[in-house]
Amino acid sequence: MNKSIITFAIAATVGMGTIFGGVPGKTEAESISSLKGEQNKIHDKRTNIQSGINQANSKINTLKSQQADVKSEMKRLDFAIDDTITKIDDKSEKIKNTKAEITKLQAETKVIQERIKKRNVLLKDRARSYQENGGMVNYLDVLMGSTSFSDFIDRANAVATIMQADQDIIKQHEADKVELAQKQAKVEKDLSSLEKMLADLKNMNQQLNEQKKEKDKLLASLKDQEEEAHEGMMELQEEEQILAAQEAAIKQAIQNEKEAQRRAAEEAKRNTNSNNGNNSGSQSIPAPNVSGGSWTQPAAGYRSSGFGGRGDGNHYGVDIANGTKVPIVAAANGVVIRSYYSSTYGNCIFVSHSINGQVYTTVYAHMTQRYVGSGASVKKGQKIGLMGNTGASRGQHLHFELHKGPWTQDKRYAINPVGIVPLP
Ligand SMILES: [Zn+2]
């Protein structure tokens, strides 16, 4: 790694020194020292890459393991909820059956009550017939009226038979009533216990669902944190590629600036007319008017997030949000460092600018389409892509970064573009 940095440093110093040598108002020595400054910035950055990436990686791993814990807790809750739902269904079914049983018992009670009513009528009829036949007003009269002992025995037997029959009927009535009352009491007890169980289960189910909702919230917040961590973190390889490309782009951007200065008037005219659009369709929202000066607004829309802050993470850019088809334009003349898809930035373009001898880098992230490739020279206001929602993004917006100097993974040269780049 050290060897590659040294080789790279020498190559850059030699390569860029010749270019800077031609910038008006600067001596060769000043240009070399300025270049060395740029070089040191990139060198510092490289020595810090690994620890930065390690830190971000360990944060992401912690967040991932926390998410795994929450997910397994949610799985447990899901099983518990499934279980209560099964039990609720079971109890509900039993309650339905018990209620049907109660209805059946009520019908049976009605039948038995009818029967009792009929038997009562029967007994009354019999009592009445005894009275109507005379002499058999009551059992005692019957017995007292016997004419002989054998007559008495006959009468006594008859009375006993009748009394037994009456008693049997009464016993049967009572037995029927008791049985029904017992049945009903038991079933009603079953019902109330079932209903209590059901209420408990529903209560438990509600509690479990509330717990799950809490876990959902926790998981969402962990995911957010992971996204933030990702946004500040890239694969080492990806970063190295950006760095390498950046060097070439810086050289090209400086050369372009020199040429632009030589052909000032003619070039300025061409710049304002260079909004060439790449035929992005008819429904597209127009790109903002190209401003005079070095910078122009990169996209039309509203500012949905400013520079700095945003929770505990840092936001090293400005977000511009807007509706369907929104062109993204280069904020200044420059050279495309990289145009590629990143898992964090989504479709993104890095542009290197050299403005009055100062290197700037702009980043346009989360695009749905890219119109320019790595190494392309772009003009201020030239359409370079379409606003989108790719990568670690929630909702369509342009994430725009401005770096005074090279882009670095730790974004140490990121500055608030407000007051420099026209913004909505
Ligand atoms: Zn952003």
Side-chain angles (χ1 to χ4, degrees):
M1 177 146 179
N2 279 339
K3 196 184 171 213
S4 72
I5 288 170
I6 291 160
T7 311
F8 172 57
I10 292 166
T13 307
V14 171
M16 292 169 80
T18 54
I19 291 155
F20 256 119
V23 175
K26 278 193 178 176
T27 68
E28 186 107 355
E30 275 169 349
S31 295
I32 287 167
S33 131
S34 158
L35 261 177
K36 275 183 176 165
E38 292 300 330
Q39 199 50 62
N40 286 339
K41 286 178 183 174
I42 293 176
H43 176 82
D44 287 353
K45 193 213 122 282
R46 281 194 155 183
T47 56
N48 282 318
I49 288 172
Q50 200 53 59
S51 78
I53 284 189
N54 287 348
Q55 268 181 357
N57 262 332
S58 101
K59 191 181 176 188
I60 286 166
N61 285 340
T62 306
L63 288 165
K64 275 195 197 307
S65 105
Q66 282 172 337
Q67 284 180 66
D69 288 350
V70 174
K71 275 179 185 166
S72 89
E73 186 63 13
M74 284 174 82
K75 194 174 169 190
R76 191 190 67 78
L77 286 168
D78 272 341
F79 281 132
I81 288 168
D82 278 354
D83 186 51
T84 56
I85 287 170
T86 306
K87 282 177 178 161
I88 283 170
D89 288 349
D90 178 58
K91 299 300 171 203
S92 298
E93 182 67 20
K94 278 184 178 150
I95 284 171
K96 204 178 115 196
N97 292 342
T98 307
K99 280 183 173 163
E101 204 181 329
I102 287 173
T103 308
K104 207 179 122 209
L105 280 172
Q106 280 166 344
E108 277 175 29
T109 304
K110 214 175 162 188
V111 168
I112 285 170
Q113 275 167 346
E114 275 305 305
R115 210 181 294 157
I116 287 170
K117 216 166 133 189
K118 277 180 188 162
R119 280 175 186 172
N120 280 335
V121 168
L122 203 76
L123 283 171
K124 274 180 196 158
D125 284 353
R126 182 151 49 225
R128 198 166 31 242
S129 88
Y130 291 156
Q131 285 174 328
E132 281 164 4
N133 290 340
M136 294 181 73
V137 174
N138 60 47
Y139 301 135
L140 196 60
D141 288 342
V142 174
L143 296 176
M144 288 300 134
S146 54
T147 52
S148 64
F149 184 70
S150 72
D151 183 35
F152 174 80
I153 295 300
D154 286 347
R155 285 180 182 229
N157 279 342
V159 165
T161 304
I162 290 162
M163 279 177 82
Q164 189 59 50
D166 287 351
Q167 263 176 9
D168 285 351
I169 288 165
I170 288 158
K171 268 187 200 156
Q172 190 57 52
H173 286 178
E174 277 166 359
D176 287 352
K177 274 187 195 163
V178 166
E179 196 194 336
L180 270 177
Q182 278 172 348
K183 260 193 204 169
Q184 201 142 348
K186 188 191 169 294
V187 171
E188 269 161 11
K189 202 176 144 202
D190 286 353
L191 182 64
S192 95
S193 125
L194 281 168
E195 276 171 344
K196 181 165 185 316
M197 281 190 268
L198 183 66
D200 287 350
L201 281 165
K202 279 183 175 167
N203 189 29
M204 190 190 288
N205 190 342
Q206 197 189 335
Q207 281 175 10
L208 287 168
N209 275 304
E210 272 160 20
Q211 282 177 39
K212 204 187 157 192
K213 238 182 259 169
E214 288 297 309
K215 298 288 173 196
D216 267 335
K217 257 192 243 166
L218 181 58
L219 190 65
S221 131
L222 287 169
K223 271 182 186 159
D224 281 356
Q225 287 178 49
E226 196 195 333
E227 247 175 47
E228 300 247 348
H230 267 303
E231 203 163 337
M233 141 97 195
M234 258 179 203
E235 293 298 324
L236 186 59
Q237 198 186 10
E238 185 177 341
E239 196 190 341
E240 288 291 303
Q241 284 168 345
I242 292 168
L243 265 182
Q246 189 162 243
E247 268 313 297
I250 287 171
K251 286 180 203 168
Q252 187 60 50
I254 291 168
Q255 201 159 28
N256 286 359
E257 194 200 2
K258 272 172 66 190
E259 274 171 34
Q261 281 172 352
R262 262 204 307 266
R263 298 183 290 160
E266 188 193 345
E267 193 71 10
K269 195 177 169 193
R270 201 188 300 173
N271 285 352
T272 52
N273 294 335
S274 63
N275 197 348
N276 58 13
N278 290 44
N279 186 27
S280 57
S282 53
Q283 301 299 312
S284 143
I285 290 167
N289 291 330
V290 178
S291 305
S294 300
W295 298 96
T296 195
Q297 187 173 318
Y302 66 93
R303 212 184 303 169
S304 59
S305 189
F307 183 88
R310 200 199 250 181
D312 55 348
N314 284 308
H315 189 232
Y316 292 102
V318 163
D319 291 344
I320 300 170
N322 205 340
T324 50
K325 212 169 184 182
V326 187
I328 308 295
V329 304
N333 294 343
V335 175
V336 176
I337 298 167
R338 269 202 98 194
S339 170
Y340 76 118
Y341 179 85
S342 150
S343 60
T344 54
Y345 278 137
N347 277 311
C348 64
I349 291 176
F350 288 61
V351 181
S352 188
H353 312 273
S354 176
I355 294 171
N356 300 323
Q358 171 66 50
V359 169
Y360 289 90
T361 311
T362 52
V363 177
Y364 311 77
H366 309 311
M367 289 188 283
T368 185
Q369 274 184 55
R370 288 176 279 116
Y371 296 150
V372 291
S374 304
S377 287
V378 291
K379 297 292 179 189
K380 179 182 67 170
Q382 178 181 335
K383 285 182 191 175
I384 58 171
L386 276 184
M387 192 183 280
N389 189 28
T390 55
S393 165
R394 279 162 294 165
Q396 174 169 300
H397 75 286
L398 167 69
H399 172 84
F400 175 74
E401 288 176 16
L402 175 65
H403 301 259
K404 191 172 181 179
W407 175 89
T408 66
Q409 165 64 29
D410 60 11
K411 303 189 188 183
R412 65 171 61 181
Y413 305 119
I415 56 170
N416 192 343
V418 173
I420 300 168
V421 179
L423 290 166

